[in-house]
C-alpha cells in the first residue's frame, strides 16, 4: 500500500518499503503496550501482533500463496483496539511462561460444546508462538540454538493426540511425503523465533472433543537448554467462523473446571 513522502525537489511521491512499514508497526506495538494494564513481556506483545495480523485477500490466491510468507510474512498488523476487543464467538488464551530443561508444558481442555456434534469438532483455531532461545551468530544459519515448538492436538480413538495445525501463509507437502530438514524449516518453521499456525476451517473433525495444547523443545546436539530455561509466549484463538456460537463463555467455563 503506497504512502506519500517528499522527494529532493519538494514534490509528493508515492513510496513503499520497510522505512515506511517499521514506524507504523512500532506505533501499533506501542499502542498495544499502553492499552494492556500492567507489564507484559516482550514475547507477549510480539505474539499478539503477529497473531492478529491479516493476510490481504490478494495473497491467498493459489498462485501467490506459496510465496506469501516471503512477501508479507505473517500479514499486516491490525489496531491494538481490535486485538483486544474481540467477539464473543471466539476466545483468545495467552500463555506467558518459561520452558526449562526436561520439561514439556501442556494442558488439556474440551472444545466448546456449541462446536461439537457427537465428538466431531467444528470451528477454527490459530496458534502463535514467540520464543527467546540462545542465539550464537558464529554458527551462521544454525545460530538459533534451541527449537521451541507449540502444538494443538486432538485426541484420537487410540487415545493418542494428532496435530491439527498448518503454517500460516504456506502450502505444505502432503503429510505422507518424505520431508527433509529444509521442508521442516519451511512448513513447521523449525528453528524459528516466531511461528504462527492455524487449522483449516473444521466442519466436523473427529473423533473427540478433547484437545491438548503443548509446548516442547529440541536443543542442538550436545548443547543443553540453559539452566534457567527459555521464555516464550503462546497465543491461541478458538473461534466460530460463522460468529454465532458462544465460544468465549463455554471455553471459559471449561477452563475454569480444569483450573486454568
Amino acid at each position: 500500500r503506497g504512502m506519500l513522502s517528499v522527494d529532493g525537489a519538494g514534490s509528493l511521491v508515492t513510496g513503499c518499503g520497510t522505512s515506511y512499514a517499521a514506524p507504523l508497526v512500532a506505533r501499533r506495538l506501542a499502542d498495544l503496550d499502553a492499552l494492556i494494564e500492567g507489564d507484559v513481556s516482550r514475547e507477549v506483545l510480539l505474539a499478539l501482533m503477529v497473531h492478529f495480523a491479516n493476510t490481504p485477500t490478494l495473497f491467498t490466491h493459489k498462485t501467490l500463496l506459496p510465496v506469501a510468507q516471503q512477501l508479507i510474512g505473517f500479514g499486516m498488523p491490525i489496531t491494538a483496539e481490535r486485538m483486544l476487543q474481540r467477539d464473543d464467538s471466539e476466545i483468545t488464551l495467552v500463555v506467558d511462561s518459561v520452558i526449562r530443561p526436561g520439561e514439556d508444558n501442556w494442558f488439556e481442555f474440551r472444545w466448546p460444546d456449541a462446536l461439537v456434534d457427537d465428538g466431531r469438532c467444528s470451528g477454527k483455531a490459530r496458534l502463535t508462538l514467540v520464543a527467546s532461545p540462545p542465539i550464537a551468530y558464529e554458527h551462521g544459519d544454525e545460530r538459533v540454538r534451541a527449537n521451541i515448538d507449540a502444538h494443538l492436538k486432538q485426541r484420537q480413538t487410540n487415545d493418542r493426540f494428532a496435530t491439527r495445525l498448518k503454517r500460516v501463509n504456506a502450502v505444505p507437502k502432503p503429510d505422507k511425503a518424505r520431508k527433509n530438514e529444509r521442508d521442516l524449516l519451511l512448513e513447521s518453521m523449525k528453528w524459528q523465533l516466531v511461528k504462527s499456525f492455524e487449522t483449516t476451517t473444521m466442519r466436523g473433525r473427529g473423533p473427540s472433543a478433547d484437545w491438548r495444547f503443548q509446548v516442547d523443545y529440541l536443543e542442538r546436539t550436545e548443547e543443553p537448554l540453559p539452566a534457567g530455561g527459555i521464555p516464550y509466549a503462546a497465543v491461541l484463538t478458538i473461534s466460530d467462523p460463522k460468529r454465532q456460537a458462544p465460544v468465549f463463555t463455554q471455553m471459559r467455563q471449561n477452563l475454569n473446571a480444569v483450573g486454568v
Side-chain angles (χ1 to χ4, degrees), residues 22-220:
L24 291 174
V25 171
R27 185 248 173 104
R28 293 274 191 261
L29 196 61
D31 287 345
L32 182 63
D33 190 27
L35 286 176
I36 297 176
E37 292 185 9
D39 295 330
V40 293
S41 69
R42 167 185 176 275
E43 290 81 13
V44 167
L45 292 173
L46 293 176
L48 287 169
M49 284 281 290
V50 170
H51 187 74
F52 289 114
N54 283 333
T55 298
T57 303
L58 171 66
F59 291 96
T60 63
H61 191 277
K62 63 181 180 180
T63 58
L64 286 177
L65 188 56
V67 295
Q69 182 75 42
Q70 285 72 43
L71 295 174
I72 61 168
F74 299 105
M76 296 175 60
I78 63 175
T79 65
E81 290 82 3
R82 287 178 60 200
M83 294 183 212
L84 300 177
Q85 300 294 333
R86 309 298 299 176
D87 193 83
D88 286 344
S89 62
E90 67 178 62
I91 189 168
T92 296
L93 313 178
V94 177
V95 179
D96 186 13
S97 189
V98 175
I99 189 165
R100 294 181 172 83
E103 287 185 349
D104 281 351
N105 296 352
W106 60 273
F107 65 85
E108 294 180 7
F109 64 93
R110 180 176 173 82
W111 203 253
D113 292 337
L115 298 178
V116 178
D117 183 12
D118 194 27
R120 304 182 68 83
C121 299
S122 301
K124 192 170 184 178
R126 180 162 174 150
L127 174 61
T128 299
L129 176 75
V130 174
S132 298
I135 297 178
Y137 290 97
E138 62 269 23
H139 291 285
D141 290 344
E142 296 184 354
R143 58 189 174 273
V144 178
R145 307 309 292 169
N147 180 53
I148 311 301
D149 217 347
H151 312 272
L152 184 64
K153 301 179 178 182
Q154 185 180 24
R155 189 187 297 273
Q156 304 300 292
T157 53
N158 60 7
D159 212 33
R160 296 183 179 180
F161 285 84
T163 187
R164 295 305 192 197
L165 297 174
K166 64 181 181 66
R167 183 168 68 90
V168 169
N169 295 342
V171 181
K173 289 184 177 180
D175 288 339
K176 294 182 180 180
R178 183 178 179 84
K179 299 179 182 180
N180 56 31
E181 192 72 6
R182 179 173 175 79
D183 292 330
L184 294 175
L185 190 149
L186 294 174
E187 294 182 25
S188 304
M189 308 208 73
K190 192 175 182 181
W191 307 107
Q192 302 299 305
L193 307 181
V194 180
K195 309 178 182 186
S196 195
F197 307 94
E198 61 189 3
T199 66
T200 56
T201 300
M202 298 182 292
R203 296 179 175 84
R205 179 168 293 177
S208 170
D210 296 328
W211 289 69
R212 172 182 288 176
F213 165 79
Q214 180 177 340
V215 174
D216 54 27
Y217 71 89
L218 173 67
E219 68 269 70
R220 298 285 183 182

